Amino acid sequence: MHPHIQVLLKCIELEEKEQVKRYSLDQQHTLRSLKAEGLALHPIIVTRKSFGYADFPEIGFRLSFPPEANMFKDGAVIECFITGEEPVKGVLISLDGKSGEFRLFAPDYPDWIEDDGVGIKLSPDTRTTSIMKKSLSQLENNKPLFDLFERMHKTKEWFPPSATLSSISFLNRNLNESQQRVVIAVSSNPEVTLLHGPPGTGKTTTLIEAITQLTKSGEKVLVTAPSNAAVDNIARGLLRQGIKLLRVGNTSKVDETIFSHTPEGRLANSKQQKEIKQLKIRAEEYRKMALKYKRSFGKAEREQRNLLFQEVKNIRTEIKKLQAYNEEKLFAEAEVIAGTPIGLYDAGINNLGFSTLVMDEAGQCIEPLAWCVFPLASRIVLAGDHWQLPPTVLSQDAARLGFNRSILEVAIDVIPGFLLDTQYRMRQSIAGFSSDYFYNGLLQTASHLNDTGVHICFIDTAGSGYQEVRGNDGTSLQNEGELQIARHLIEAETLETTLTAYISPYAGQVAAAKEVLPTGMRISTIDSFQGQEMQNIIVSLVRSNDDGDIGFLKDYRRMNVAITRAKEKLYVIGDSATIGADPFYGAFLAYIEKHGSYRSVWEFEL
């Protein structure tokens, strides 16, 4: 077996072990510590119960507190639990503010679902890891794909296949030259195309044009991304172009425009759906009969209850078969099928012969997950920005072996990428530092965003005594002084709260900010805010100590995300005495002195 496949398999094992260790609710990991680390939401208040597309129980809930829940991404594997009962596995459908939804993999709701003290916590995603292991283990059997793997990992020399440049009549006449170059490359390149899209450069717009061009020439295209939100974002754009799109996977929470293009939405009023409805009614009758047997019962009653639930399971299998039969026709009709990598893998479409697979957010996709879907198409487009945050990996040992290197990072080491070179989001001075430091000065700003005043400001807390402290939970840092400055800024600069976001690298600071900053403001960790933008951004760096210790501010990609979210005004609060010795932050402070406003905390009447 190829040595790097062995390394990746080892990384998957290490990550699995770390997930089991981290997510366990035991003497080492109390419910309090899981909540403090953002791995459990407790208590939840159940607001709705229903049975979903494949007849699994689905539960709507709300929280009485604002969570900092960037680990609770849609599609995350969860367990629903209450003290003293067996937990039930499921999947998070969505979490938006204080409201969310999850699906349970069980014949029915647990008896205790509406009792006091119910919560959900993250659980090891053994299914995804088993799919990744299987895909990697079979990779050497697929000669063309294994050849690509060897070349990506430099165990074979890279000879890019010659591309036949096609002449294109662009549908979107507003594309700039760098965007047009990408569209031509996607249409012409027979193997792999890399689209490097820094913040605000119109990556989604470019991908939509490229995919539309491919479908116009009669190709069948797959679209994927590691998050459901990113898949839906592209799906909406393609539907506006009139593309025949089918959205597969976790589609319970998609909006109305996309729902009608999911298998469930497409089959909503069909004869087959009526059959499925009848089967669901039968399943409900068996469930009611089973629930007559309460928690305390004897052996005969238990056997009877198990038989009834087995019947529910059999009906559910029948529903799935009926759905799969109907979906085959939908797959054949679609020009584009969109879903997360696991959503596409589960769709069973490997015999349909897709020409192109387009992966957005490839900078957030761990490498093994990409090899699960690469066999589905003959050529690949990877789009993203490897200078923004990498994939989340829990195991430090796996990270040291390179497991947090995204598929885009791996590929761009070997394959020249196409850089989108003009940003349309932020003022020139806001974009300038990132352009210089991360993008070799190649990132230009559209002319209408030239500076019209001071758009970037650093507020220096050095010497103020505003030092970092551990939060009450003991796991994350806070800085009360920086919160006071943020409050003062909002008032003094008359910042509209609905147009202003407060972001910080530390969940503890975010939790504290939610208690004191105005309601209506978006308050988030930097990691959760990736991919978003706001008129005004306040970044609170938190770190202030006598040792010059900056912790994970050392991951400069996190800072690149933080300073490229603001469209009009960027305020950064920090302690120059703590961060200034670091070359990156030293350069950033020098940039602000030259291009913005450098202010001391002593200017503020706090």
Side-chain angles (χ1 to χ4, degrees), residues 292-549:
K292 285 178 186 171
Y293 301 100
K294 298 297 177 191
R295 290 186 214 183
S296 305
F297 42 67
K299 184 171 180 264
E301 287 88 349
R302 185 177 289 106
E303 284 175 2
Q304 188 59 34
R305 178 176 162 128
N306 287 345
L307 282 171
L308 289 164
F309 274 139
Q310 184 56 49
E311 200 52 46
V312 172
K313 211 172 176 181
N314 293 343
I315 291 172
R316 191 169 283 161
T317 305
E318 213 175 318
I319 289 172
K320 279 185 178 172
K321 280 181 185 167
L322 198 52
Q323 284 170 347
Y325 172 76
N326 292 319
E327 283 167 9
E328 272 180 37
K329 189 180 174 207
L330 299 178
F331 292 147
E333 290 169 355
E335 294 173 313
V336 172
I337 297 178
T340 61
I342 296 301
L344 293 181
Y345 183 95
D346 283 344
I349 49 177
N350 40 330
N351 58 350
L352 285 179
F354 292 88
S355 55
T356 307
L357 169 79
V358 176
M359 176 181 280
D360 194 13
E361 281 191 354
Q364 289 262 294
C365 181
I366 54 173
E367 188 184 347
L369 196 56
W371 294 107
C372 297
V373 287
F374 282 180
L376 298 175
S378 51
R379 63 181 181 183
I380 295 156
V381 178
L382 299 177
D385 181 12
H386 55 294
W387 290 117
Q388 293 188 60
L389 282 164
T392 303
V393 168
L394 294 179
S395 166
Q396 291 305 307
D397 290 336
R400 275 190 285 276
L401 290 170
F403 197 51
N404 60 347
R405 284 188 84 215
S406 68
I407 187 63
L408 184 63
E409 276 184 274
V410 171
I412 216 156
D413 253 7
V414 182
I415 310 165
F418 289 84
L419 177 76
L420 298 182
D421 62 15
T422 306
Q423 68 86 15
Y424 300 89
R425 172 185 295 164
M426 58 208 121
R427 292 290 182 175
Q428 189 172 9
S429 57
I430 298 176
F433 180 75
S434 282
S435 174
D436 294 344
Y437 192 92
F438 294 100
Y439 308 110
N440 300 318
L442 298 173
L443 184 60
Q444 305 160 44
T445 294
S447 57
H448 70 281
L449 290 170
N450 289 342
D451 291 350
T452 57
V454 176
H455 297 280
I456 183 166
C457 172
F458 184 79
I459 297 143
D460 192 353
T461 66
S464 66
Y466 290 158
Q467 294 230 313
E468 66 193 56
V469 294
R470 290 264 161 214
N472 294 333
D473 55 48
T475 59
S476 188
L477 294 171
Q478 296 178 3
N479 190 316
E480 173 61 32
E482 291 192 6
L483 280 175
Q484 287 184 47
I485 295 167
R487 286 172 68 182
H488 184 88
L489 255 181
I490 293 161
E491 290 169 21
E493 307 274 312
T494 58
L495 298 177
E496 178 67 52
T497 52
T498 54
L499 301 176
T500 305
Y502 176 93
I503 60 176
S504 175
Y506 291 95
Q509 184 76 344
V510 166
K514 285 177 178 173
E515 299 298 321
V516 299
L517 293 185
T519 52
M521 255 185 91
R522 180 87 164 86
I523 300 168
S524 167
T525 57
I526 293 167
D527 297 45
S528 294
F529 208 71
Q530 177 154 313
Q532 299 178 61
E533 60 185 41
M534 193 64 84
Q535 195 79 357
N536 314 304
I537 295 281
I538 300 169
V539 183
S540 177
L541 297 181
V542 175
R543 299 313 298 247
S544 178
N545 54 68
D546 299 330
D547 307 319
D549 178 9

